[in-house]
Amino acid sequence: MRDRVLILSVFVVASCGLAYELIAGALASYLLGDTVLQFSSIIGCYLFAMGVGSHLSRYVKDEDALARFIDVELLVGIVGGLSATILFSIFAWASTPFRTVLYALVFLIGVLVGMEIPLVMRVLYGRKAELREMVSRVLTFDYLGALAVSLLFPLVLAPRLGMSRTALVFGLLNAGVALFTAQVFGKELHGKRGIRLRGTAVAVVLIAGLAFSSQLTHWAEQSVFGDQIIHAETTPYQRMVVTRWQDDLRLYLNGNLQFSTRDEHRYHEALVHPAMQSLPGARSVLVLGGGDGLAVRELLKYPKLEHITLVDLDPAMTKLFSTSETLTAINQHSLTNPRVKVINADAGQWLETDTGSYDAIIIDLPDPSNFALGKLYSVPMYRLVSKHLAEHGYVVVQSTSPYFAPHAFWCVVATLKEAGFYTWPYHANVPSFGEWGYVLAGKHDSFTQPDHYDVPLRFLDASSTREMFHFPSDMVAPEVEPNRLNNQSLVHYFEQDWHRVIR
Amino acid sequence: MPGMAEGHILRDGLRDAAKLPSPSGELECDVAIFGSGVAGMTAAWRLAKAGRRNILVIAGPEPDGNAAGASMAGQACPSGAHYLPLPSMESRHVREMLADVGVIISDPFGHRPEFDERILVHAQQERLLRAGKWHEDLLPDEASTTQERSEHQRFLRYVEQLKTATGNDGKRAFAIPIALSSQDAQWRALDRLNFRDWLTREGYRSAPLHWYANYACRDDYGTSYEHTSAYAGLHYFASRAGEARNAEPGAVLTWPDGLQGMMRALRSKIGFGAHLDNSTAPRQMTGFAASIQIRNKAVDALVVQPASGTASLRTLRVRARHAICAMPLHVAAHVVEDMRGYGFDPATHLPQSAPWMIANFLMRRFPEERAAAQLAWDNVIYEGKGLGYVVATHQLIRVAKPEHAVFTAYNALSDRSPQDSRRWLETASPAQLLERAAGDMHLAYEQLWPYVERVDITLRGHAMASPAPGYLNNKGLLALREVDGPLQFAHSDMSGYSVFEEAAWWGEMAARRLL
Ligand SMILES: Cc1cc2nc3c(=O)[nH]c(=O)nc-3n(C[C@H](O)[C@H](O)[C@H](O)COP(=O)(O)OP(=O)(O)OC[C@H]3O[C@@H](n4cnc5c(N)ncnc54)[C@H](O)[C@@H]3O)c2cc1C
């Protein structure tokens, strides 16, 4: 009976071992692209590490074999179980060298897994099993376990549980094997209580991981990396990730969704056309941010427009969206259009030195999630913008969600007013963002909502425009302070508002 | 050490004119101003604003004095004063000046003027590192016991009340400029004990509060709180009652190069002319006064222009109908003939002066913050030896961190007597100075040196007058404030402590007497 328990452990242990390998390989190819290379090198590293583990197992004394086996199980359980979670977190928060951690983890797990089978065999051998019989049974179950996981993983586990949770579940299995073995072989072990204690601790950590992983998974996996990654790059300014799932292409900056090709036309039409339709004589437009070239694509629909100047901080971003075939297909090569001038600079700094005057200024900057970004939504910044705006012109500012972040949204309105602008806030439904907000502003008091559009559009028309400028009673403006550099109220509003939404 | 060579020359007897070449020229003017610090520049500004043209400023060893700045790798940074609190109602002269240079945009004399937000310090203004964690407040509630918290609240409530407290003459008990404060003996009695004893007497025992009070004294006066008058200690908290329409109470004004930004604006308002012999615009010349005397009801001074480049040392005679002596009093004591005649006896009336060290660290990239904390403008270390460091790039409207930044670390050398500290400054090796300068930043960052490209250290042996108990009744200072005649005095020293508003006040007073 006891020997059968050990043989059964082999089955479980083998499936866990393969699971970690698969998870690491899948994660690497998800996150880094280049599947063949990632899988081969992960498997190579893992197998080599297993060899190292087998070699190390010889230093375990015969009488300790069982106890060390249990230790190894607990270790694999915790390291392997948390591996995917650790890797996701590191990847999402960038700066740490992801690859180094990846291979270190794979190697460590490999070494531990490599020790398992030799140790089990020695325990059995020490219990006078017949060598021929024992080797055959152990290896049979070893390979059977592998087979089970290799089928379960792609068909059930990965799609249903996701990477983090799959790893955590296998970690629990390892811990279970340790505890169960300790239970069954109790008499032959010293320090059973210690083992139980450690085993329980590992299990608790993993279960806690499972409890939280739904959040983490939701945030990191499903929402960010559930899809295939076709480009990932860390620039000095941000982390850019482009994903694809069927015909849906998405861009994430620092983990925040920037657009999805499913509905970005809504976002960009709403951003550009209410202002542009009202400026039939517009000759030159300034775009701050918007390095994806999508707002520019909309602007290029106006043949009279002679100069479009786009100022985006990150050269890597504008380069990617000027050269990548997939991405230029989306922005219709807008960034390389001769009417467009792309400048890589810090918006505030650039405005301080630029002397141009523009008929429209489109501000499509990242949300004000920290003090540095908050400065770009401040009274002095808008005064500076005002200096560059023609007397008859309009400014449009993407202003986060009036539904989810009402204080932040209306704070942008109040800030523009404080800087001397007249404002016309509006909002549009962009499914992948939810209800999204914009503020149109001008130096004079006249703006009429367009009742038609002269350029071909998919989303905007007379009636959707009317709705955009109407704020129903669940979106009324709260009392807010303008965003002054001295207190950066906007950054606080933004944090508080979104904190209420995402728990 | 700006001014040290010149100062020691004067102290060691340059006045025995035998050592100097005879004057190689003579300049005449309506008003001569000796010193180009805040006091001197304010006087020049006021006179120029009133239409006076024939003004000659003799810069002295350091243009801008203690409000000077520097530049490292193209980044402006302070080498002296760094900020101005929102001006109090009494500081009309400062408000007028700020409005004149465009920092106050509207309602300069109202309760809540509107300020240029680029000059108002941006969030986050300050933070405190205590027990390995950054807090947003210098007296963080979250790091205090209940007992301490209630003491902090009591203290802060009390000083808040003091902001509006008045004496029996109807004047504010603690006003800036200090000369406009109430003369009520009840308040002035606070000048008899030191600030630490006052706190103890009032039953304050909280260690963080004592640290904070001591920090405030070191930061503003260069002396520890047991050497600071309790009146001055409370004055620090109670006098700064200024408000702004577009900033929170307690906000401050700052430029990347500290108050040099203000001086620059002031200079351009004064409109200095290029040529020394063109008296249709105010003029400024290099050099320092070696002697100032009254001859035939006019001022007669000998100015030394040290050798520079190919020019060798020379002297000039300056004759002026009026003059303003805007240099530190310990220098004036050696330069002005017969100071005792003005009621000021240097032997007894010179205030103690505190030595300071200002270190500018040119940083490449930004050091890694603990737990992804955000850098503030002023970064203070609890129980640190220094006074923390300010960040010169803080006011830039930038998303990306600039390639270079300058962190300016302030140290008031108040841990020994001023004399011992000055001696230490003169003899310390560069490595010792650097160790002291970097002390606070070492506590803030695990890794500092990999980020540091260069360090420039400015030593100010006599940086500021310190308000020791009894300073309110310094008869010599009171006498100088009243001096009227061909020669006037204007310097922050005359307030017995040193801030921009005080220096500006005496410049303003001197100029007004001439108008
Ligand atoms: C490190 C430090 C930090 C500070 N921080 C602040 C702050 O944040 N906020 C604030 O309000 N205040 C601050 N202060 C105080 C503030 O800098 C001073 O109050 C102010 O600059 C003093 O100006 P002043 O005109 O009275 O004198 P000084 O600055 O001493 O100017 C004296 C002038 O006289 C000239 N001079 C000297 N000898 C002669 C001579 N023989 N002939 C002619 N000219 C001569 C000098 O060149 C100089 O220009 C700080 C001071 C220091 C030292």
Side-chain angles (χ1 to χ4, degrees):
Chain A
M1 148 71 194
R2 293 198 177 165
D3 290 1
R4 247 185 251 150
V5 167
L6 273 182
I7 296 290
L8 198 71
S9 312
V10 168
F11 179 81
V12 177
V13 161
S15 42
C16 294
L18 186 72
Y20 301 134
E21 183 180 346
L22 288 175
I23 288 169
L27 258 176
S29 43
Y30 254 27
L31 301 180
L32 302 174
D34 203 350
T35 314
V36 177
L37 176 72
Q38 301 307 344
F39 254 103
S40 324
S41 53
I42 295 278
I43 291 176
C45 171
Y46 195 79
L47 287 177
F48 171 66
M50 281 179 69
V52 174
S54 305
H55 175 76
L56 290 179
S57 71
R58 68 181 288 190
Y59 298 109
V60 175
K61 291 204 206 93
D62 279 342
E63 59 271 28
D64 292 343
L66 188 61
R68 289 300 86 78
F69 172 70
I70 293 177
D71 289 344
V72 165
E73 282 315 289
L74 288 177
L75 265 175
V76 183
I78 190 88
V79 178
L82 292 175
S83 59
T85 310
I86 294 172
L87 288 172
F88 267 132
S89 314
I90 286 176
F91 187 80
W93 286 310
S95 58
T96 347
F98 175 76
R99 250 173 244 265
T100 317
V101 179
L102 171 72
Y103 283 101
L105 269 178
V106 166
F107 190 81
L108 180 61
I109 298 173
V111 168
L112 291 170
V113 169
M115 295 175 76
E116 288 172 334
I117 299 299
L119 286 178
V120 173
M121 287 200 189
R122 279 171 52 191
V123 173
L124 287 172
Y125 191 59
R127 302 168 65 82
K128 317 264 177 321
E130 199 188 322
L131 183 62
R132 188 181 54 163
E133 166 91 351
M134 189 230 2
V135 170
S136 126
R137 273 172 66 194
V138 166
L139 291 183
T140 309
F141 278 88
D142 186 14
Y143 293 127
L144 272 181
L147 174 67
V149 167
S150 62
L151 294 176
L152 270 178
F153 180 76
L155 299 178
V156 183
L157 297 172
R160 288 275 166 88
L161 290 181
M163 298 295 155
S164 299
R165 273 188 286 184
T166 305
L168 287 164
V169 166
F170 280 103
L172 274 173
L173 285 178
N174 278 123
V177 166
L179 285 173
F180 191 59
T181 315
Q183 185 65 32
V184 175
F185 292 89
K187 293 214 187 70
E188 298 169 30
L189 287 166
H190 306 287
K192 212 172 103 189
R193 270 197 37 209
I195 295 177
R196 226 184 267 148
L197 219 66
R198 269 173 282 154
T200 320
V202 168
V204 165
V205 169
L206 294 173
I207 289 172
L210 269 178
F212 284 106
S213 79
S214 59
Q215 274 175 25
L216 196 81
T217 322
H218 176 77
W219 159 77
E221 255 175 286
Q222 249 88 62
S223 72
V224 185
F225 308 116
D227 310 338
Q228 190 199 347
I229 300 215
I230 59 173
H231 183 91
E233 183 178 357
T234 303
T235 77
Y237 307 105
Q238 57 199 344
R239 173 145 192 91
M240 305 190 318
V241 176
V242 182
T243 68
R244 180 181 9 227
W245 190 73
Q246 296 183 349
D247 62 346
D248 182 13
L249 219 81
R250 292 171 170 229
L251 167 70
Y252 295 89
L253 295 182
N254 299 331
N256 297 315
L257 178 63
Q258 301 300 300
F259 70 75
S260 148
T261 46
R262 290 263 168 97
D263 56 18
E264 59 80 11
H265 67 280
R266 284 195 166 203
Y267 176 89
H268 291 104
E269 285 184 9
L271 176 70
V272 167
H273 299 292
M276 288 305 293
Q277 176 68 26
S278 313
L279 292 168
R283 292 269 178 281
S284 73
V285 175
L286 172 65
V287 182
L288 301 179
D292 54 25
L294 297 173
V296 174
R297 175 196 66 200
E298 295 302 312
L299 287 167
L300 286 168
K301 292 180 179 170
Y302 295 85
K304 279 197 198 144
L305 212 50
E306 290 163 4
H307 305 290
I308 300 171
T309 310
L310 177 125
V311 180
D312 190 288
L313 182 60
D314 195 345
M317 172 93 175
T318 47
K319 182 166 167 243
L320 181 67
F321 279 86
S322 312
T323 52
S324 150
E325 243 175 71
T326 341
L327 299 174
T328 48
I330 305 172
N331 66 22
Q332 296 170 6
H333 300 274
S334 62
L335 295 184
T336 44
N337 187 294
R339 287 193 279 159
V340 178
K341 188 160 134 203
V342 175
I343 292 164
N344 294 116
D346 211 318
Q349 185 171 26
W350 184 81
L351 280 179
E352 281 164 18
T353 49
D354 175 65
T355 51
S357 167
Y358 306 89
D359 299 307
I361 300 181
I362 299 200
I363 307 186
D364 189 14
L365 293 165
D367 291 337
S369 54
N370 60 40
F371 286 140
L373 283 164
K375 288 188 176 193
L376 296 185
Y377 290 79
S378 63
V379 178
M381 174 73 180
Y382 290 146
R383 292 226 167 98
L384 194 58
V385 166
S386 171
K387 283 195 195 139
H388 291 79
L389 184 69
E391 284 311 309
H392 61 270
Y394 293 116
V395 177
V396 189
V397 184
Q398 91 80 5
S399 323
T400 94
S401 170
Y403 191 82
F404 298 116
H407 297 86
F409 176 80
W410 292 101
C411 175
V412 177
V413 177
T415 310
L416 282 159
K417 283 188 177 152
E418 179 73 18
F421 282 106
Y422 295 92
T423 59
W424 296 273
Y426 62 98
H427 58 97
N429 191 296
V430 184
S432 52
F433 290 169
E435 204 61 42
W436 210 253
Y438 310 83
V439 188
L440 194 143
K443 297 197 219 179
H444 54 80
D445 189 16
S446 72
F447 170 75
T448 329
Q449 301 165 19
D451 53 10
H452 74 283
Y453 292 90
D454 297 328
V455 296
L457 300 178
R458 289 166 65 196
F459 169 57
L460 287 192
D461 58 21
S463 77
S464 57
T465 304
R466 258 196 314 281
E467 263 173 50
M468 284 203 314
F469 283 87
H470 172 67
F471 282 82
S473 55
D474 62 352
M475 278 204 266
V476 288
E479 273 294 317
V480 288
E481 286 278 305
N483 184 38
R484 308 186 180 291
L485 287 175
N486 173 241
N487 62 5
Q488 293 242 15
S489 53
L490 177 61
V491 176
H492 300 294
Y493 289 139
F494 183 82
E495 247 170 40
Q496 287 159 12
D497 283 349
W498 284 104
H499 191 72
R500 270 195 286 273
V501 181
I502 318 172
R503 260 161 306 148
Chain B
M1 285 204 188
M4 187 175 88
E6 294 86 343
H8 288 185
I9 293 175
L10 289 174
R11 184 187 68 193
D12 302 340
L14 214 165
R15 285 209 290 158
D16 98 53
K19 288 190 203 152
L20 286 176
S22 51
S24 58
E26 215 175 277
L27 288 167
E28 299 232 345
C29 61
D30 183 13
V31 185
I33 300 176
F34 297 99
S36 59
V38 176
M41 279 304 150
T42 304
W45 165 76
R46 173 57 73 200
L47 292 168
K49 206 164 146 63
R52 302 291 271 273
R53 289 270 145 294
N54 194 357
I55 305 168
L56 175 62
V57 176
I58 295 89
E62 191 185 26
D64 298 335
N66 286 310
S71 164
M72 290 178 98
Q75 175 59 51
C77 53
S79 64
H82 51 303
Y83 75 94
L84 200 57
L86 295 177
S88 63
M89 286 307 278
E90 289 87 356
S91 294
R92 292 181 67 85
H93 61 301
V94 176
R95 288 168 175 246
E96 186 180 343
M97 191 187 281
L98 289 171
D100 205 25
V101 302
V103 173
I104 292 185
I105 294 169
S106 66
D107 197 17
F109 302 110
H111 272 282
R112 307 178 70 211
E114 183 184 0
F115 290 82
D116 181 342
E117 272 181 48
R118 289 169 301 180
I119 309 298
L120 283 166
V121 68
H122 300 177
Q124 157 127 9
Q125 181 167 335
E126 61 192 6
R127 60 173 183 167
L128 175 73
L129 182 67
R130 197 176 142 186
K133 213 173 151 265
W134 285 106
H135 302 271
E136 283 190 17
D137 229 318
L138 293 193
L139 262 185
D141 270 348
E142 65 272 22
S144 315
T145 65
T146 345
Q147 165 68 24
E148 287 169 353
R149 253 200 307 267
S150 79
E151 277 189 24
H152 302 171
Q153 279 155 10
R154 176 158 71 94
F155 177 78
L156 295 175
R157 249 197 325 270
Y158 181 65
V159 294
E160 197 57 38
Q161 283 166 12
L162 290 187
K163 286 186 178 172
T164 48
T166 50
N168 52 15
D169 49 6
K171 292 184 181 167
R172 269 176 69 205
F174 300 93
I176 289 189
I178 203 161
L180 299 185
S181 302
S182 169
Q183 296 298 313
D184 190 336
Q186 181 211 333
W187 294 114
R188 303 221 137 205
L190 286 166
D191 187 32
R192 285 205 290 269
L193 73 170
N194 71 51
F195 195 32
R196 185 183 61 189
D197 289 351
W198 180 85
L199 283 168
T200 315
R201 190 186 83 184
E202 298 296 314
Y204 293 108
R205 277 193 303 270
S206 152
L209 180 62
H210 274 258
W211 171 82
Y212 181 44
N214 190 24
Y215 173 81
C217 291
R218 294 190 297 135
D219 194 38
D220 233 40
Y221 306 135
T223 46
S224 57
Y225 70 155
E226 70 265 28
H227 293 120
T228 303
S229 158
Y231 181 91
L234 289 169
H235 187 270
Y236 169 84
F237 294 99
S239 61
R240 304 177 168 205
E243 290 181 37
R245 187 180 86 75
N246 53 347
E248 308 194 325
V252 300
L253 302 165
T254 188
W255 291 255
D257 44 349
L259 290 188
Q260 192 180 47
M262 183 64 207
M263 298 301 273
R264 203 173 35 241
L266 211 51
R267 280 171 189 282
S268 81
K269 273 288 156 193
I270 297 167
F272 284 111
H275 296 294
L276 264 188
D277 35 44
N278 165 9
S279 56
T280 57
R283 300 162 283 169
Q284 173 170 309
M285 63 184 276
T286 57
F288 62 93
S291 73
I292 300 177
Q293 316 161 330
I294 311 289
R295 293 284 178 271
N296 305 323
K297 295 207 175 127
V299 178
D300 188 326
L302 183 68
V303 172
V304 181
Q305 292 194 311
S308 83
T310 52
S312 51
L313 181 141
R314 64 171 193 157
T315 64
L316 291 165
R317 174 129 265 139
V318 170
R319 286 185 217 278
R321 267 193 339 123
H322 294 282
I324 297 173
C325 176
M327 63 186 79
L329 292 181
H330 71 271
V331 184
H334 296 287
V335 173
V336 176
E337 186 181 55
D338 190 21
M339 280 294 276
R340 280 200 203 85
Y342 298 98
F344 184 89
D345 178 4
T348 52
H349 293 142
L350 262 184
Q352 279 275 19
S353 62
W356 279 66
M357 170 159 91
I358 303 98
N360 280 311
F361 288 72
L362 177 64
M363 313 293 284
R364 62 176 150 247
R365 310 200 315 281
F366 283 65
E368 208 161 304
E369 295 286 339
R370 297 162 187 260
Q374 291 199 51
L375 196 60
W377 168 65
D378 193 3
N379 305 272
V380 181
I381 317 295
Y382 186 68
E383 291 179 341
K385 257 195 158 182
L387 298 162
Y389 53 96
V390 299
V391 177
T393 48
H394 185 79
Q395 298 291 98
L396 298 179
I397 301 186
R398 302 278 181 280
V399 173
K401 295 213 154 136
E403 230 171 278
H404 280 109
V406 179
F407 289 6
T408 309
Y410 286 86
N411 271 276
L413 303 170
S414 54
D415 35 357
R416 319 169 205 216
S417 78
Q419 292 75 9
D420 286 350
S421 289
R422 276 190 283 274
R423 215 162 303 130
W424 181 75
L425 285 181
E426 272 186 86
T427 53
S429 68
Q432 284 172 310
L433 293 176
L434 190 58
E435 188 191 317
R436 172 75 194 243
D440 279 357
M441 277 158 72
H442 265 308
L443 297 174
Y445 302 112
E446 260 164 40
Q447 293 249 16
L448 175 64
W449 296 123
Y451 297 95
V452 177
E453 209 158 290
R454 204 177 87 210
V455 184
D456 287 352
I457 299 183
T458 307
L459 304 176
R460 300 183 177 278
H462 299 271
M464 51 174 68
S466 3
Y471 81 117
L472 291 182
N473 292 315
N474 182 328
K475 298 275 178 314
L477 297 184
L478 297 177
L480 287 185
R481 296 180 188 180
E482 304 300 327
V483 171
D484 197 358
L487 183 65
Q488 318 261 335
F489 292 87
H491 191 272
S492 51
D493 280 354
M494 290 155 64
S495 295
Y497 79 107
S498 177
V499 292
F500 181 92
E501 298 95 309
E502 298 289 351
W505 174 251
W506 299 118
E508 166 87 2
M509 293 309 283
R512 272 206 231 154
R513 284 196 203 104
L514 298 185
L515 291 171

